[in-house]
Amino acid sequence: MSKIIILLITLFFGATVIQTDEVESTPKSHPGEPEMVHVYGATFTMGCTNEHVSNCDSDEKPTHQVTVSSFDISKYPITQGQWKAVMGTTIQDQRDKVNPKNPLKGEGDNFPMYYVSYDDAQEFIVRLNELTGKNYRLPTEAEWEFAARGGVKTNAHKYSGDNFLNNVAWSKDKSGGTTHPVGTKKPNQLEIFDLSGNVWEWCSDWYGNYSTAAKLDPQGATSGFRRVARGGSWNSPATDCRTSKRGFGNPDQRNDTFGFRIVL
């Protein structure tokens, strides 16, 4: 069994470790399962921190202290190959639900899945859990931002893993108007790839306003009309690929810039 070791360590850049785990690897039992990265729980400052100040939007304020428990997150966005293994459908099938005449923005087993709504992502998770007996889910917005910032290894970068976007992300400036195979840019400090750029990633939260109150494992607004998406995409300007940038979409919204990753 994993041994829990409680540490009282305050790290630089505002991340305070609340625990670490000696983690045993969990074998994959289905080809649709992604490779996972363990993220140790900690307290961090969420929102418009110093490295973002000149670019911050109003919905990134106020900053507030958030504590997240340890979790595992997929190393890459869910790929088209993983989608096909679980859902039995292809990127063309998803595109056709929107408009068969729309061009594809990258196709192949190692490309990120897109044309995925929040509702579609939840259906994928339900089926994957049925196939594996596990409890995968979408990340909360707080978990996503904490992982994107590098967790307890954060260096306070503007983007996930670097202050120079092109080192870590496929964005509007250099993508050539398409997605790219996952993991082809530099990872962040936790060895997680594509948290900035390539595709926007759905989170579990309803989109809502921040408050100044400190929170423990927040789940977001209790209700709403739109779900949070994070990270920017192949078609996003640099400011949308920042770790504190908040996006959103209707739960049934499908387009060529929205995908997802999962946590356990």
Side-chain angles (χ1 to χ4, degrees):
M1 296 179 61
S2 295
K3 180 180 178 183
I4 307 300
I5 305 173
I6 305 301
L7 299 177
L8 300 176
I9 302 173
T10 301
L11 301 181
F12 296 110
F13 309 115
T16 303
V17 176
I18 57 171
Q19 70 178 45
T20 64
D21 305 336
E22 292 178 0
V23 181
E24 297 173 354
S25 60
T26 302
K28 298 198 311 183
S29 60
H30 189 275
E33 288 188 88
E35 183 177 353
M36 306 296 284
V37 173
H38 190 70
V39 181
Y40 293 113
T43 299
F44 75 106
T45 302
M46 187 170 178
C48 179
T49 45
N50 289 340
E51 67 272 26
H52 298 286
V53 168
S54 63
N55 297 111
C56 285
D57 296 326
S58 59
D59 66 351
E60 298 170 39
K61 304 172 184 178
T63 57
H64 52 290
Q65 294 298 294
V66 171
T67 301
V68 294
S69 300
S70 298
F71 60 97
D72 291 351
I73 190 167
S74 51
K75 191 170 188 173
Y76 312 100
I78 294 299
T79 65
Q80 293 172 30
Q82 288 162 344
W83 178 273
K84 185 164 54 178
V86 173
M87 303 296 288
T89 58
T90 66
I91 187 66
Q92 296 97 324
D93 296 322
Q94 283 297 111
R95 183 272 314 274
D96 291 352
K97 293 176 181 178
V98 179
N99 186 339
K101 295 182 180 180
N102 286 353
L104 292 176
K105 299 296 184 177
E107 182 179 5
D109 283 351
N110 290 327
F111 281 75
M113 191 64 189
Y114 52 96
Y115 279 119
V116 175
S117 69
Y118 171 91
D119 294 336
D120 293 331
Q122 293 288 24
E123 184 179 357
F124 173 94
I125 290 167
V126 167
R127 293 195 187 186
L128 182 60
N129 287 342
E130 289 173 348
L131 290 166
T132 63
K134 298 177 184 176
N135 291 300
Y136 291 104
R137 58 179 174 82
L138 288 175
T140 66
E141 184 175 20
E143 288 171 338
W144 191 98
E145 183 169 322
F146 181 61
R149 287 176 176 271
V152 298
K153 297 181 179 180
T154 183
N155 285 327
H157 290 141
K158 192 171 188 177
Y159 311 106
S160 185
D162 210 305
N163 285 322
F164 297 96
L165 181 61
N166 290 333
N167 289 340
V168 293
W170 294 109
S171 64
K172 190 171 186 176
D173 183 42
K174 296 290 185 179
S175 70
T178 186
T179 63
H180 289 262
V182 301
T184 51
K185 290 286 190 173
K186 190 178 84 170
N188 74 358
Q189 299 91 325
L190 298 177
E191 295 297 312
I192 307 171
F193 293 80
D194 298 297
L195 283 161
S196 290
N198 225 353
V199 289
W200 285 97
E201 299 179 5
W202 290 110
C203 295
S204 61
D205 306 41
W206 289 110
Y207 176 77
N209 295 326
Y210 286 166
S211 73
T212 57
K215 297 184 182 299
L216 171 64
D217 290 326
Q219 303 297 306
T222 56
S223 63
F225 299 99
R226 299 171 294 187
R227 294 286 185 176
V228 172
R230 288 299 207 106
S233 77
W234 61 267
N235 197 34
S236 296
T239 188
D240 284 0
C241 298
R242 296 176 296 106
T243 58
S244 65
K245 171 69 179 180
R246 307 179 73 200
F248 51 79
N250 294 332
D252 61 353
Q253 177 180 336
R254 296 185 183 106
N255 63 43
D256 56 14
T257 63
F258 276 58
F260 68 110
R261 76 176 71 219
I262 56 179
V263 303
L264 183 65

